Amino acid sequence: MATLGELFDTAGANLRAAAEQPVTADRAAVSRLLDQFLADLAAGLSAIDDASPASDLGFHLAQARDALQTAQRLLPSPSAIASGSAGDGIAGATAAVNAVRDLIESHHGPDRAPLTAYAYAFSTRPARDYLARRSAELAWEANRIVVVLGSGVEDPGVEAAFANVRSSLAKAAVFGREGTRNADWGIAAFSLALPVEPVQAHGSDDTRDVPERLAEDCDRLSRVAFDTLHDRSGHRLSGSDLQQLSRWTAMGRLLSGRLLLRVAEQLPDPAIAAVQREAAGALRSSAQAWQQSAAAWHRIVDLADPRAHPKLPPPSYESAGCGALSVLSSLDGVTLGYRCRSGVRGSLGL
C-alpha cells in the first residue's frame, strides 16, 4: 500500500518522464492535461490555512493556469487525447496527486470529523509545510514540461503565454520551498486509512507480505479503538475489549520484532543488521508495555456502558456476618450484587 511520500515520488517521476519527451504536435492537448494537473495540485492545497506558505503557492499556481489557458486559446484545437509519453506522464502525475488527496481525506469522515488519530497530525503546521513543500517540487517539475512545450513555438502570443507560465511556476517552487524548512518529513510514512474489516491470513501467503499485513492490522486496531473512544461506533468499549486490543497490539509488535531479527541474520552489512536488531529490541519493549497494559485491564467489570460507574453502598455489619446477598441496581439485564461472609468479598450475579 502506497504511502504519502511514495505518491508524491510517483507524481514527480511521471512529470520528469514527460519533460524528457519532445512535444512537436498536440501542444494544446498536452497543455490541457497540464492545466488539469495544476488544478488538482492546487485543490490539494485548498484545505491548508491562508497563513501558511501554501497560500503563496496556490496563488502562483492560479497565475500559471491563467497563462496556460491563454496559450491553449491561441494554439490549434487539440486532439481528443494527448498522444505520446508526455501526455501519459502528466496523466499519471495527476492520478498520483489525486491519490494524495484521497489518502488525506480517508482519515476524515463525511462531516470532516477525524476517523483516526493520524487526522490530527495532518492539521499541524509542520505537516502542512510538508504538503506545501512537496507540491512546490511538483510545480518545478511541471515548469520543465512548459519549457519543452514552448521550445520551437513561432506564435509570439503563445511564446509569451508559455513564458508567463514558466515564471509563475518558478515562483511557486521558490516560495513553496523557502517557507517550509520546518516540514515534518515523518508525514511521508502515512498511508490510506484502512476499513476496520479484518483480512484473514492464510498459510499460503508469502512471507514477504507478513510485515505489511501486521502493520495494516495494527492500523485497524488503532482505528477501532479511536472510533470507540470518540463514540463514533455503536459498540461501547469495555474492559475486556481494552484487554483484547492491548494483547493483539502486543502480539503485532512482538511478531514484527521477531521478523526484524530474522532479517538481520541474513543481512551482509553488519551496520544495517545492528540497526535492525535495535529496532527489534524497541518493538519488544513496546510489546512488553502493551502486555502490561492488558494485565491492568484484567479486573475491569463489564457493564452496559463503561462510562457508568454506579456507586455501591457499603455492606452493613449484619450482612457481613450472616452472608446475606444484597441486590443492587440492574443495568440492561446485568444484576450487580455482593455476598459477604467473615469480611467483605464481592461477587457478580447474572
Side-chain angles (χ1 to χ4, degrees), residues 150-339:
S151 60
V153 174
E154 298 179 355
D155 189 329
V158 176
E159 184 180 4
F162 280 141
N164 291 333
V165 176
R166 293 196 302 270
S167 175
S168 296
L169 290 178
K171 292 177 181 178
V174 170
F175 281 106
R177 292 175 178 176
E178 184 63 26
T180 56
R181 298 185 183 276
N182 295 325
D184 182 7
W185 290 88
I187 300 297
F190 284 6
S191 58
L192 192 74
L194 297 173
V196 295
E197 291 78 9
V199 178
Q200 184 65 37
H202 301 282
S204 59
D205 294 341
D206 291 338
T207 306
R208 61 184 179 183
D209 296 334
V210 173
E212 184 176 359
R213 290 283 183 86
L214 287 172
E216 292 177 357
D217 286 344
C218 288
D219 284 342
R220 287 189 177 93
L221 287 173
S222 175
R223 178 172 177 178
V224 169
F226 184 86
D227 287 348
T228 308
L229 181 63
H230 292 81
D231 293 332
R232 298 184 62 89
S233 172
H235 179 72
R236 289 292 182 263
L237 201 62
S238 64
S240 59
D241 291 333
L242 292 169
Q243 186 183 36
Q244 196 75 348
L245 284 170
S246 299
R247 285 178 174 174
W248 286 342
T249 306
M251 181 61 68
R253 279 152 173 74
L254 183 62
L255 291 175
S256 300
R258 295 292 298 271
L259 285 171
L260 287 180
L261 288 177
R262 177 63 66 87
V263 171
E265 294 175 357
Q266 303 175 6
L267 288 176
D269 191 338
I272 299 179
V275 174
Q276 297 278 11
R277 293 190 183 94
E278 182 180 356
L283 286 169
R284 184 169 58 252
S285 300
S286 177
Q288 292 172 352
W290 277 107
Q291 189 63 29
Q292 293 173 1
S293 176
W297 295 109
H298 180 66
R299 299 182 181 277
I300 296 295
V301 177
D302 293 345
L303 303 174
D305 188 343
R307 295 170 300 178
H309 301 285
K311 187 176 181 180
L312 304 181
S316 63
Y317 289 107
E318 292 79 5
S319 298
C322 64
L325 174 67
S326 299
V327 179
L328 304 178
S329 59
S330 176
L331 295 173
D332 293 344
V334 179
T335 302
L336 298 177
Y338 58 84
R339 183 188 301 276

Side-chain angles (χ1 to χ4, degrees), residues 1-262:
M1 184 171 53
T3 63
L4 186 66
E6 291 171 346
L7 291 174
F8 274 116
D9 293 340
T10 299
N14 278 284
L15 292 178
R16 285 190 292 273
E20 295 173 357
Q21 301 298 323
V23 180
T24 57
D26 282 343
R27 280 190 172 87
V30 175
S31 299
R32 183 181 60 185
L33 287 176
L34 188 60
D35 181 32
Q36 183 61 50
F37 166 77
L38 295 178
D40 292 341
L41 183 62
L45 298 170
S46 60
I48 302 179
D49 62 277
D50 294 335
S52 70
S55 59
D56 293 330
L57 179 58
F59 172 78
H60 291 295
L61 288 177
Q63 294 283 348
R65 289 194 63 206
D66 291 340
L68 193 57
Q69 291 168 6
T70 300
Q72 292 180 60
R73 289 192 295 268
L74 297 175
L75 287 168
S77 299
S79 58
I81 300 177
S83 59
S85 298
D88 295 340
I90 298 173
T94 303
V97 166
N98 288 327
V100 167
R101 188 165 67 249
D102 293 341
L103 186 153
I104 297 174
E105 291 298 325
S106 70
H107 294 270
H108 298 83
D111 55 353
R112 299 298 302 163
L115 293 180
T116 69
Y118 299 125
Y120 295 108
F122 286 116
S123 64
T124 63
R125 177 61 182 271
R128 296 194 297 266
D129 286 351
Y130 173 80
L131 297 176
R133 187 175 185 86
R134 296 307 303 266
S135 299
E137 294 175 356
L138 296 181
W140 179 255
E141 298 296 343
N143 184 33
R144 297 179 56 200
I145 298 177
V146 179
V147 173
V148 178
L149 283 174
S151 60
V153 174
E154 298 179 355
D155 189 329
V158 176
E159 184 180 4
F162 280 141
N164 291 333
V165 176
R166 293 196 302 270
S167 175
S168 296
L169 290 178
K171 292 177 181 178
V174 170
F175 281 106
R177 292 175 178 176
E178 184 63 26
T180 56
R181 298 185 183 276
N182 295 325
D184 182 7
W185 290 88
I187 300 297
F190 284 6
S191 58
L192 192 74
L194 297 173
V196 295
E197 291 78 9
V199 178
Q200 184 65 37
H202 301 282
S204 59
D205 294 341
D206 291 338
T207 306
R208 61 184 179 183
D209 296 334
V210 173
E212 184 176 359
R213 290 283 183 86
L214 287 172
E216 292 177 357
D217 286 344
C218 288
D219 284 342
R220 287 189 177 93
L221 287 173
S222 175
R223 178 172 177 178
V224 169
F226 184 86
D227 287 348
T228 308
L229 181 63
H230 292 81
D231 293 332
R232 298 184 62 89
S233 172
H235 179 72
R236 289 292 182 263
L237 201 62
S238 64
S240 59
D241 291 333
L242 292 169
Q243 186 183 36
Q244 196 75 348
L245 284 170
S246 299
R247 285 178 174 174
W248 286 342
T249 306
M251 181 61 68
R253 279 152 173 74
L254 183 62
L255 291 175
S256 300
R258 295 292 298 271
L259 285 171
L260 287 180
L261 288 177
R262 177 63 66 87

